[in-house]
Amino acid sequence: MTKHFTRIRDLGCENARRLIARAKEMKDTNHRSDLMAGKSAILLFEKASTRTRVSFETALHHLGAKTIFMTPAESQLGRSEPLRDTARVLSRYNDCMIVRTFGQEKIDELVRFGSIPVVNALTDQGHPCQVMSDLLTMYEHTPDFSTIRVAWIGDGNNMANSWIEAAMYFPFELFMAFPEGYEPDRNLLGLALQAGAKIFCTHDPKEAIEGAHYVNTDVWASMGQEAEQARREKAFAGYMIDSNMMKYAAKGAKFMHCLPAHRGEEVSEEVFESEASIVFDQAENRLHMQKAILEWIFS
């Protein structure tokens, strides 16, 4: 049976928890293997990338695979070839698709019509590889997730959705603050709450950050939302994570961001460059977590 990683929910609770420990082991041992020797992976990216592209290409090389990078400008996707046709063709050439795109439905269509594993490297609805990497980063500081309170301050975007999914499988408390009209996927939130996730939502960022051990945020306008920048800046006034906001968090709280960050908007320069910031640990851990995910798929 072909394994895919399109959402954190694809893993199931046991596998999700096992992957955290495995990724930590891979990091500690500077893991290399020939698991994917002789295999090729196509990186199909409709959105620009730094961390995602480099971390995935490096992870694949560490496991012995060859990589091919493709954008719509360099393929028939840019000339409106049906995605289902692309899925069937690429499946005959490659062993895996790593996809960074807009709608989640594109990932689902590649899974439906292709015959090789598909990994979600980001959509507008979710960023599962990033959040799994963030969980690894927290695990390095606090192995017992049941003692952790995580704050999400900002947009109810793809990152927020994946944090909600993570809360279904890991026993941390998740306090989320969004401006009105910028809430995450309601159906997903309802599903997580029914599954027993400890999630609390508010429109007050100070209420969400109170006592938090990890403070998370993201840009206010993601790729494809640039035209909304001015409106979003107005809506998110008061949501910047600065030194005054961090005072509400628990003593020794860590600041997290998936990057790239807009200093002076969602986070101040002072907080971003402070000792509390673990953003570059998060960035590094993309490599190790994605190796663990690929190993899970191909083992």
Side-chain angles (χ1 to χ4, degrees):
M1 180 178 178
T2 302
K3 293 180 185 175
H4 304 283
F5 183 62
T6 67
R7 301 165 176 83
I8 292 176
R9 281 176 286 165
D10 289 348
L11 296 172
C13 184
E14 184 178 347
N15 284 323
R17 296 184 181 189
R18 186 182 295 124
L19 277 181
I20 301 297
R22 179 56 178 151
K24 179 67 166 64
E25 182 181 27
M26 286 179 152
K27 181 176 182 178
D28 291 344
T29 59
N30 195 21
H31 181 80
R32 304 287 195 279
S33 81
D34 60 358
L35 173 69
M36 296 183 68
K39 297 185 184 299
S40 64
I42 182 81
L43 284 83
L44 182 60
F45 279 38
E46 291 190 293
K47 288 189 173 187
S49 169
T50 298
R51 280 152 296 278
T52 299
R53 176 180 178 179
V54 175
S55 62
F56 260 115
E57 289 212 42
T58 304
L60 287 157
H61 293 164
H62 284 184
L63 298 179
K66 303 293 186 182
T67 60
I68 301 169
F69 183 79
M70 190 171 74
T71 69
E74 301 157 342
S75 68
Q76 294 299 327
L77 284 173
R79 300 175 64 184
S80 301
E81 180 176 36
L83 195 60
R84 61 184 180 273
D85 294 356
T86 297
R88 288 178 283 199
V89 169
L90 293 180
S91 292
R92 298 193 180 206
Y93 298 151
N94 298 281
D95 300 283
C96 182
M97 281 186 273
I98 314 293
V99 185
R100 184 175 172 93
T101 187
F102 292 90
Q104 185 76 26
E105 69 277 0
K106 292 188 174 184
I107 297 280
D108 295 339
E109 188 168 356
L110 289 169
V111 169
R112 180 183 176 190
F113 287 96
S115 56
I116 58 176
V118 176
V119 177
N120 179 357
L122 176 142
T123 67
D124 290 343
Q125 288 74 43
H127 201 352
C129 290
Q130 178 69 57
V131 171
M132 287 297 295
S133 304
D134 294 347
L135 292 168
L136 169 60
T137 308
M138 294 196 318
Y139 179 77
E140 292 179 309
H141 293 272
T142 319
D144 184 358
F145 280 14
S146 68
T147 67
I148 295 174
R149 176 174 293 189
V150 177
W152 176 267
I153 310 296
D155 192 15
N157 60 9
N158 51 3
M159 282 291 295
N161 287 333
S162 288
W163 271 108
I164 289 170
E165 284 200 337
M168 297 168 67
Y169 292 151
F170 296 91
F172 56 82
E173 293 181 321
L174 180 60
F175 283 72
M176 313 186 85
F178 325 94
E180 291 189 29
Y182 294 90
E183 294 85 359
D185 185 306
R186 289 187 178 183
N187 291 332
L188 175 61
L189 181 59
L191 182 67
L193 291 172
Q194 288 178 6
K198 293 175 285 188
I199 304 173
F200 309 89
C201 297
T202 178
H203 295 305
D204 182 352
K206 293 184 177 66
E207 182 180 1
I209 204 173
E210 183 75 38
H213 304 99
Y214 294 90
V215 178
N216 252 288
T217 191
D218 193 6
V219 295
W220 294 341
S222 299
M223 283 181 285
Q225 299 173 333
E226 290 81 4
E228 304 175 27
Q229 180 69 30
R231 177 168 61 85
R232 284 174 170 266
E233 286 181 7
K234 183 177 180 181
F236 285 88
Y239 277 74
M240 180 193 292
I241 307 301
D242 56 19
S243 56
N244 288 328
M245 186 74 79
M246 286 295 289
K247 290 178 181 177
Y248 290 89
K251 184 178 180 180
K254 303 297 184 183
F255 171 75
M256 303 177 73
H257 195 300
C258 61
L259 302 180
H262 294 171
R263 295 165 172 84
E265 289 186 15
E266 74 274 6
V267 59
S268 68
E269 175 80 13
E270 181 182 10
V271 169
F272 186 89
E273 296 291 352
S274 71
E275 291 184 1
S277 177
I278 54 175
V279 298
F280 296 109
D281 293 336
Q282 293 174 255
E284 177 189 347
N285 283 339
R286 291 291 301 277
L287 170 64
H288 310 298
M289 176 51 67
Q290 286 158 190
K291 277 197 282 192
I293 290 168
L294 289 165
E295 182 184 72
W296 170 72
I297 287 173
F298 284 97
S299 294

